[in-house]
């Protein structure tokens, strides 16, 4: 960030190709410096979103009871203590030449800053909710101008994120990041176990009645520590078991193993899990709205990725405007820490709002051309054409309307986990079988997971029950009943869609593609899924070409180049 304006942001996983990669983000820092045209020695401030001294008393209390947890934390703290040294070693400069001031920003304050300071709002209520960070899981407050004020927080071990992760594990999804799958599964069930789930997460009347408590007998993390290991550099983190045997007794059976079939019982439990999350989350938001009297709310933390719950904010709370920046999870802490220092510590005025998500690497026409030439694709029966934008969009829209699957690679890579029209796979939303085709040919993911629609922003109200913008795919709305049959592929089983609203301003070429599709079909919507196949989203044109060939897509658009199977 230079003088308050975001210049570049990328997650290490896109560059080192390891999903959710742990460790020092050397490649991401190199990319950001290169994009800003700066050397490490020219940086004035380095902000790290972790404060080892936050909630020290709570930490010590639990550390005494959990020696293994304390050891694990100590290892991580040592890593964080040496940021200056790690930078110096990574960039081959003498540590004394780094003139930057180093700042530590507490985890949830960085989350709140990442949501508010890049939002379009002058004033807003703020809520951060996740698994755990700096020994807290939830924090709320108010943002006004270049200042934010923290009102309260909920400390370890009570956590909506760990609640969701624990039940996600019980349902047979053990991997880091699997909560998203269970949110999709929830739509297939009935929330018939609300009584049980209201005991697993309880409203808490302490501290003004704004919080919640976990029924700790159903969890293990307060005894053993949440065994989330980020210690292995360059690897995906792993999560230890979070739920106790008592949870199985409460929910009527042992945990499902990952390879066991999904029964209706599991779907009903997923529905109950999600419904209870919504009760607590929306309840907290209602109280926040009543206390702050704000019309707008900014959300961050892993729980803020629950687009199904977010979509209900308009109907079930007094908030009229919602902002969730595209990297609402821990990836977004980096920009949050930077903006916290800029405004809250240095007192600089606001001068930036995040209107799009395209802050990652981009590749020139020459680099794309070279990647195509180096690939054997030209000798394997594909036609390659370089086209002006209008023709490129029109022809690509025609290919999509013919039921073909198109890889769409343009400009700068998206910030955050969603593909938003620059590293996307695009397909025809009108075909009911498109979901299965995509799953069997390309994505290889669970059939119960929905695909998302991208819609021209000016058409949202005609197709969805809400018209508030959702530029970063962080809100799900009901598709209007009369439109559901027209876009069956990205309409979930419960009639909702996790939509991206596309404006001409934010992404002119993607907007033009969807507009061309509308001109050809009358439908201002395309199905949009991330450009990858069980790997981090593609970043470089070479990775797009590889994924394209591996996955048997029908056409690939790389910048101005259209690559299509002949015949
Ligand atoms: Fe977090």
């Amino acid at each position: 960030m230079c003088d308050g304006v975001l210049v570049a942001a990328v997650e290490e996983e896109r560059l080192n190709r390891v999903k959710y990669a742990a460790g020092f983000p050397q490649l991401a820092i190199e990319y950001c410096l290169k994009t800003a045209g700066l050397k490490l020695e020219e940086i004035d401030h380095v902000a790290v979103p972790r404060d080892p001294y936050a909630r020290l008393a709570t930490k010590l209390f639990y550390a005494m009871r959990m020696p293994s947890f304390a050891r694990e934390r100590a290892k991580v703290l040592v890593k964080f203590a040496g940021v200056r040294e790690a930078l110096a070693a990574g960039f081959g400069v003498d540590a004394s030449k780094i003139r930057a001031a180093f700042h530590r920003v507490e985890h949830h304050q960085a989350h709140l800053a990442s949501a508010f300071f890049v939002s379009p709002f002058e004033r807003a209520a703020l809520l951060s909710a996740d698994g755990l960070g700096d020994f807290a899981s939830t924090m709320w407050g108010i943002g006004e101008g270049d200042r934010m004020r923290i009102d309260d927080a909920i400390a370890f071990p009570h956590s909506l994120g760990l609640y969701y992760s624990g039940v996600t594990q019980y349902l047979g999804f053990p991997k880091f990041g699997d909560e998203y799958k269970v949110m999709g599964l929830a739509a297939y069930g009935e929330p018939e176990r609300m009584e049980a789930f209201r005991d697993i997460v309880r409203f808490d009347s302490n501290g003004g009645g704004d919080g919640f408590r976990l029924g700790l007998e159903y969890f293990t993390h307060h005894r053993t520590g949440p065994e989330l290991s980020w210690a292995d550099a360059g690897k995906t983190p792993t999560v230890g078991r979070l739920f106790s045997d008592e949870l199985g007794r409460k929910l009527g059976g042992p945990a499902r193993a990952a390879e066991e079939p999904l029964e209706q019982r599991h779907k009903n439990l997923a529905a109950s899990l999600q419904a209870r999350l919504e009760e607590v989350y929306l309840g907290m938001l209602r109280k926040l709205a009543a206390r702050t009297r704000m019309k707008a709310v900014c959300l961050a933390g892993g729980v803020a990725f629950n687009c199904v719950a977010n979509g209900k904010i308009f109907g079930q709370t007094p908030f009229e405007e919602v902002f969730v920046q595209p990297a609402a999870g821990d990836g977004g802490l980096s920009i949050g820490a930077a903006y916290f220092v800029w405004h809250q510590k240095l007192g600089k005025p606001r001068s930036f709002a995040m209107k799009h998500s395209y802050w990652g690497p981009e590749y020139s026409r020459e680099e794309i051309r070279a990647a195509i030439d180096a690939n054997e694709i030209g000798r394997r029966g594909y036609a390659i054409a370089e086209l002006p934008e209008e023709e490129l969009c029109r022809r690509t829209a025609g290919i999509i309307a013919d039921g073909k699957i198109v890889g769409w690679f343009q400009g700068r890579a998206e910030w955050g986990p969603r593909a938003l029209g620059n590293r996307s796979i695009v397909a025809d939303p009108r075909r009911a079988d498109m979901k299965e085709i995509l799953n069997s040919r390309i994505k290889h993911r669970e059939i119960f997971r929905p695909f998302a629609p991208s819609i021209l922003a000016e058409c949202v109200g005609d197709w969805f029950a809400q018209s508030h913008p959702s530029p970063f795919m962080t809100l799900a709305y009901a598709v209007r009943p009369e439109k559901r049959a027209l876009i069956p592929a990205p309409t979930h089983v419960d009639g909702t869609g996790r939509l991206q609203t596309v404006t001409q301003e934010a992404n002119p070429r993607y907007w033009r593609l969807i507009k061309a599709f509308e001109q050809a079909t009358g439908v201002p919507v395309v199905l949009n899924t991330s450009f990858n196949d069980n790997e981090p989203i593609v970043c470089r044109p070479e990775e797009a070409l590889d994924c394209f060939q591996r996955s048997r897509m029908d056409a690939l658009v790389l910048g101005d180049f259209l690559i299509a199977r002949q015949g």
Side-chain angles (χ1 to χ4, degrees), residues 197-269:
F197 277 86
R198 287 184 184 127
D199 191 47
I200 296 169
V201 187
R202 304 160 194 174
F203 278 111
D204 184 17
S205 55
N206 294 333
D210 286 349
F212 60 86
R213 297 181 70 79
L214 296 182
L216 287 174
E217 61 269 40
Y218 305 116
F219 298 90
T220 59
H221 63 275
H222 58 291
R223 290 197 298 268
T224 59
E227 294 166 30
L228 175 62
S229 171
W230 291 93
D232 289 332
K235 294 218 175 101
T236 300
T238 54
V239 205
R241 183 174 138 161
L242 293 166
F243 62 94
S244 71
D245 293 340
E246 195 59 35
L247 185 70
R249 282 191 280 278
K250 185 78 176 177
L251 298 182
R256 172 181 166 265
E259 65 282 1
E260 284 173 1
L262 271 170
E263 296 163 7
Q264 191 56 42
R265 180 180 92 88
H266 301 121
K267 296 171 188 171
N268 294 344
L269 290 174

Side-chain angles (χ1 to χ4, degrees), residues 107 111 130 330:
H107 188 97
H111 269 318
D130 69 3
D330 284 356

Side-chain angles (χ1 to χ4, degrees), residues 79-93:
K79 279 183 195 297
F80 273 84
V83 176
R84 181 189 293 270
E85 290 69 28
L87 278 169
F91 287 83
V93 299

